[in-house]
Amino acid sequence: MKNLLLVFILTVSTGAFAQKSDPNMGIVPAPVSAKRESGEFKLTPETIIFVDSPDNKAVVFFSNYLKKAGLASSVTDINTIDKNHRNLKNSIVLSLNFKGKLPAEGYELHVTPNNITINGRYSGMFYGIQTLIQLIQKSKSPGYAIVPCATIKDYPRFGYRGMHLDVSRHFFDVDFIKKYLDVMAAYKLNNFHWHLTDDQGWRIEIKKYPKLTEIGSQRAQTKIGRVHGVDSDLYDNTPYGGFYTQEQIAEVVAYATDRYINIVPEIEMPGHSMAALAAYPEMSCDPAKEYKVFENWGDSKEAFCPNDVTFKMLHEILYEVMELFPGKYIHIGGDEVNKDAWKKSDFCRQLIVDQSLRDENGLQSYFISNIEKFVNSQGRSIIGWDEILEGGLAPNATVMSWRGEAGGIAAAQMGHDVIMTPGSGGLYFDHAQSKSTQEPLSIGGNAPLSKTYAYDPVPSSLSKDQQQHIIGVQANLWTEYIATPDKVEYMLLPRMLAMAETGWTQQAGKDYKNFSMQRLPHQLARLEEEGYNYRVPVPEGAKDTTLTGNKFNIDLTPSVEGAKIHYTIDGFTPRETDLEYTTPLQITVPSGKHIDFQAIEITPAGKRSIVSDIKMANDSK
Ligand code: ACM
């Protein structure tokens, strides 16, 4: 209290908050070009949606969206109306058969006070609609909204824009997967990498091998996270399990397809295979051994055996997988293969000799090449983690570079396609979002939003031709330390929006300040309305820091539209009952004293940021 009496706070009323003049009109990911024009379009119950392809998935999606939002939803096939009697006033015209060309997945959106038009084909129309949805400003009165006038031209930088989810370490049900797909679609992501199998659980029904789920989807107990940051040796003594039936998989595939999202299923091999080995030990090099679904994190010491029995079973498993997933890519894992079991195996040692392989790395390559041949024979392609480079890359494989970019660079130099997903680039969303001890338990690391945003997937060390092999970018969400849907959302958002911008927006169009201060607050308010448990970033200007001097200016911008910031300077943790920050402050610290300016942001729904702390010290005597 003594300190407080000596402190002078001055409020400053000019230049309070970020300007609203956002060149990207709040849209995430930022479009190639957006031109704000004067006026606005009023969306009313009388607004008609004219379409030239009424059954198109994007059109159906949009009309369902408007219906749900209580806005106009009358869809009319424009071909049924005589050209001379078309009154396009107060209408939204969705044109898939427009004349002219657009880049792949591109669209044009034009909003005037009279009407809105979107030109786009396939996913291009869907993305034009997503942009329009982001521009719709709902009013308090039902059935009424406005859209600012604008001309937007847009198309993506990369064809592959992915988001991964590990459902093996923890299982997430179909409803949640759909919610995950919804938010991916809203930000123009087009590939869902579904990590369906691992040591800790096999999550996809395979009719020919029912024990994969009967046995492999269940574990007896689960390792308890960490105690004071150190891996514990405690277990929860609670059985855990879950899997998707083939019917459910088909339902999810259809749901994703309706949102122009391809699903890349991952069936891990030859490592990360304990759950499968627990069900079918004959797939190991030592079938007499007992295998059980892993209850711990980290990698098991086991792997599928590269023999005829295993290959036959894996081909049959992959055949069913390919029946369920229509996309080009099947992800076969290939990462972190512990080769101990192969080293101990007489069969493997002989196989290395017979096939003139160099060592167990050569065996890994032999394994992946066998699987690739089968997948290719079915008209599909494999993706593997960058370890599949070890011992020689399978001829047509696409490489997912996760251990930094080196694997991706090597693969691109060899003429292979590459998807960049390096943890070092802030794309591992199981890493913490700040260094604060207030962050929830995570696997470790630090991947703040700014780091995720800054990542550029195209290494400058590659030639222009080689750069063409970087087909896209993806973030990964491993769930060892993420047991609930709420926590998945917390770790995903808002970082996924930053990664989505990297995938879509041209590098020259990226601007972190514009993203984080002008567009993200609007998008987070939207996510809040839609019920996502995103992480509330600390207010801009409030990040933890230590400053010395005697006068300090505090200038904060809320990270979420409509949120309030509360602060203390008395050393107590701020909460909603403390002073509200509404305007910039100047704090004077007397000689020899120090003050902590601690702030918390609380959103309309009551979501809270962590508490930030600006330490201000006046060292003068
Ligand atoms: C990985 O993170 N093991 C691909």
Side-chain angles (χ1 to χ4, degrees), residues 335-336 385 402 428 478:
D335 60 320
E336 299 176 316
W385 298 109
W402 72 280
Y428 264 47
W478 303 100

Side-chain angles (χ1 to χ4, degrees), residues 221-237:
Q221 56 180 356
T222 302
K223 169 86 161 272
I224 291 174
R226 289 175 169 172
V227 179
H228 306 302
V230 177
D231 264 341
S232 73
D233 53 4
L234 302 172
Y235 288 81
D236 67 359
N237 198 29

Side-chain angles (χ1 to χ4, degrees), residues 164 169 195 198 266 268 272 299 331 335-336 385-387 400 402-403 421 428 430 476 478:
H164 153 286
R169 276 54 178 267
H195 185 79
D198 213 304
E266 182 179 357
E268 271 271 20
H272 288 276
D299 309 318
H331 200 307
D335 60 320
E336 299 176 316
W385 298 109
D386 58 61
E387 286 93 331
M400 215 169 239
W402 72 280
R403 298 176 303 173
T421 177
Y428 264 47
D430 53 343
N476 298 331
W478 303 100

Side-chain angles (χ1 to χ4, degrees), residues 214-441:
E214 281 166 20
I215 294 172
S217 76
Q218 307 293 319
R219 62 178 179 252
Q221 56 180 356
T222 302
K223 169 86 161 272
I224 291 174
R226 289 175 169 172
V227 179
H228 306 302
V230 177
D231 264 341
S232 73
D233 53 4
L234 302 172
Y235 288 81
D236 67 359
N237 198 29
T238 306
Y240 186 91
F243 69 92
Y244 309 103
T245 64
Q246 292 204 351
E247 250 180 3
Q248 288 175 316
I249 298 265
E251 183 186 332
V252 171
V253 168
Y255 192 85
T257 306
D258 283 347
R259 286 153 184 78
Y260 290 91
I261 294 173
N262 171 59
I263 302 187
V264 180
E266 182 179 357
I267 306 297
E268 271 271 20
M269 61 188 80
H272 288 276
S273 49
M274 272 292 271
L277 295 178
Y280 294 100
E282 57 266 44
M283 297 175 93
S284 75
C285 290
D286 185 0
K289 207 169 146 179
E290 202 188 323
Y291 300 92
K292 70 176 181 171
V293 181
F294 221 36
E295 297 158 7
N296 197 348
W297 311 132
D299 309 318
S300 74
K301 303 258 183 295
E302 305 297 340
F304 289 133
C305 201
N307 61 20
D308 290 346
V309 174
T310 307
F311 286 134
K312 177 174 182 291
M313 289 177 74
L314 284 174
H315 293 181
E316 287 167 344
I317 289 166
L318 288 170
Y319 185 83
E320 284 194 37
V321 170
M322 286 185 269
E323 292 269 284
L324 286 166
F325 293 97
K328 171 181 172 187
Y329 293 120
I330 303 297
H331 200 307
I332 49 76
D335 60 320
E336 299 176 316
V337 185
N338 185 304
K339 304 192 174 93
D340 285 2
W342 289 355
K343 283 181 186 150
K344 283 188 215 141
S345 155
D346 292 340
F347 168 80
C348 289
R349 277 197 295 270
Q350 190 56 46
L351 188 60
I352 287 172
V353 174
D354 293 349
Q355 296 289 328
S356 309
L357 303 171
R358 221 170 341 120
D359 52 16
E360 284 76 18
N361 283 337
L363 209 46
Q364 151 111 341
S365 172
Y366 170 83
F367 193 110
I368 301 294
S369 292
N370 173 297
I371 296 296
E372 174 174 69
K373 217 181 202 169
F374 174 71
V375 171
N376 288 169
S377 76
Q378 305 298 308
R380 312 293 185 92
S381 302
I382 65 160
I383 299 179
W385 298 109
D386 58 61
E387 286 93 331
I388 66 169
L389 283 149
E390 291 164 3
L393 196 46
N396 307 310
T398 295
V399 170
M400 215 169 239
S401 193
W402 72 280
R403 298 176 303 173
E405 290 185 325
I409 290 171
Q413 285 168 339
M414 290 157 68
H416 286 253
D417 283 349
V418 171
I419 297 157
M420 284 294 188
T421 177
S424 55
L427 299 183
Y428 264 47
F429 289 176
D430 53 343
H431 292 181
Q433 296 181 72
S434 82
K435 288 183 176 162
S436 168
T437 53
Q438 299 166 67
E439 294 295 346
L441 169 71

